[in-house]
Amino acid sequence: MVDADFCTPTKLFRCFEKLRINYESYKHPAVYTVEQSKKKTGSLPGAHTKNLFLKDKKKNLWLVTTLENQVIELKSLRRFLGASGGLSFGNATMLKTILGVEAGSVTPFAIINDKGKAVEVVLDQNLLEHCTVNAHPLQNNMTVAVAVKDLLRFLEAYHHPPKIVDFAQLTCMDSRPNC
């Protein structure tokens, strides 16, 4: 059970309203992977996301949000972020304790629960080229669509300005020397 102090989708939508963020929400069966999400929500307009909760050996934390089909080279990302040692996935307990969400429900909107500002948000540059972004509103049985500019405004409002990374270029630099 998630701590009562953590935000719920209903509270998140109220926060959107306070910030004057227009949104559309869609209910669907719970999805746990990008592939499952494509089957249930792939027809929704806008960019669809892949979200990773990562840590390094010093327990620095990152919430990475990319386009759903983006290849993420963790070795390249580690160097770019200046992480200590390799990057690995944060476990379900860390995810629940810090961001207040279950595995499968990782979303950039979960930073609303990161009161200690322990997590750095990393966004895919290519995601910003879309008008609308689709992500879970703290639960994986729903999808919410917001304007990309409003996602950025939300992150700023909750004191998590994102680090912008061109994952396509980052991957290109590491995998193909003549890219």
Side-chain angles (χ1 to χ4, degrees):
M1 187 167 139
V2 176
D3 186 307
D5 290 336
F6 287 131
C7 194
T8 64
T10 302
K11 289 179 185 175
L12 177 67
F13 296 151
R14 280 196 294 249
C15 292
F16 286 170
E17 290 162 7
K18 285 181 188 173
L19 292 169
R20 294 194 172 117
I21 292 175
N22 292 321
Y23 66 93
E24 292 285 331
S25 66
Y26 307 91
K27 288 192 176 222
H28 49 74
V31 294
Y32 296 90
T33 66
V34 168
E35 290 308 313
Q36 289 174 349
S37 182
K38 283 181 181 182
K39 289 177 184 173
K40 301 294 181 192
T41 66
S43 63
L44 297 177
H48 295 265
T49 62
K50 171 171 30 182
N51 299 278
L52 306 175
F53 181 59
L54 302 172
K55 67 179 180 80
D56 68 7
K57 73 177 185 179
K58 289 188 176 179
K59 296 205 178 11
N60 294 307
L61 302 171
W62 292 271
L63 176 57
V64 177
T65 300
T66 69
L67 290 171
E68 68 183 351
N69 60 348
Q70 179 60 56
V71 173
I72 300 172
E73 300 283 341
L74 291 181
K75 190 175 176 182
S76 302
L77 183 58
R78 176 193 62 81
R79 281 195 295 274
F80 180 84
L81 295 174
S84 287
L87 289 173
S88 62
F89 293 97
N91 65 41
T93 302
M94 289 175 77
L95 183 59
K96 196 172 199 179
T97 302
I98 296 168
L99 293 179
V101 295
E102 302 284 341
S105 297
V106 180
T107 172
F109 301 118
I111 60 87
I112 197 168
N113 292 320
D114 181 22
K115 306 293 190 234
K117 298 180 193 69
V119 179
E120 183 174 356
V121 176
V122 179
L123 290 183
D124 183 354
Q125 171 67 45
N126 298 302
L127 186 68
L128 303 181
E129 295 172 8
H130 293 266
C131 295
T132 304
V133 63
N134 294 286
H136 294 307
L138 309 173
Q139 289 180 192
N140 65 352
N141 64 346
M142 300 172 73
T143 296
V144 66
V146 300
V148 169
K149 65 180 176 54
D150 287 334
L151 171 62
L152 293 170
R153 201 157 47 86
F154 175 86
L155 295 171
E156 292 282 344
Y158 288 95
H159 312 290
H160 284 77
K163 180 175 279 198
I164 308 299
V165 177
D166 184 345
F167 281 93
Q169 187 62 34
L170 195 63
T171 301
C172 178
M173 289 169 46
D174 253 22
S175 61
R176 295 173 295 201
N178 297 323
C179 193

